[in-house]
Amino acid sequence: MTLSKPELISYVSQHATLTKADAQKAIEAVFAGISNALAQGQEARFVGFGSFSLLKSPAREGFNPRTREKIQIKASKRPVFKAGKLLKEAVNGG
């Protein structure tokens, strides 16, 4: 099962006694805060839950698998999530 954004909004609305509109605003604000921190090269840490950070990949030479032609792959950054202790324990039944 996958938890979708609308399902998360309903969950937050019910458990935090918020309207769905307020729950949606809160969730979107959290997502925007995490995105903005990463865009500025910062981490977003939530003690016990986990942290979002950036993994930097340097520029490198690759190849087109169809033509075997060499291509240059640009340097990039990708967001990664590392689960915290409490989240790991919750998932593993501890």
Side-chain angles (χ1 to χ4, degrees):
M1 183 174 126
T2 301
L3 179 66
S4 66
K5 188 174 178 182
E7 291 168 335
L8 179 60
I9 290 167
S10 291
Y11 182 88
V12 170
S13 173
Q14 291 172 2
H15 288 82
T17 59
L18 296 171
T19 65
K20 283 192 176 185
D22 287 341
Q24 181 175 355
K25 288 178 189 174
I27 289 167
E28 288 175 357
V30 170
F31 290 166
I34 293 168
S35 298
N36 288 338
L38 292 175
Q40 295 174 14
Q42 301 171 344
E43 274 190 8
R45 275 192 215 166
F46 306 97
V47 176
F49 182 74
S51 62
F52 293 88
S53 60
L54 293 174
L55 187 62
K56 296 177 183 176
S57 297
R60 64 187 194 282
E61 190 174 86
F63 66 93
N64 180 329
R66 205 178 287 173
T67 64
R68 309 291 291 172
E69 179 184 348
K70 288 184 181 182
I71 58 171
Q72 288 298 314
I73 301 171
K74 295 179 183 179
S76 64
K77 298 178 240 173
R78 65 182 162 107
V80 293
F81 177 76
K82 182 177 178 187
K85 182 180 177 185
L86 296 177
L87 177 59
K88 288 178 189 177
E89 289 174 354
V91 170
N92 291 306

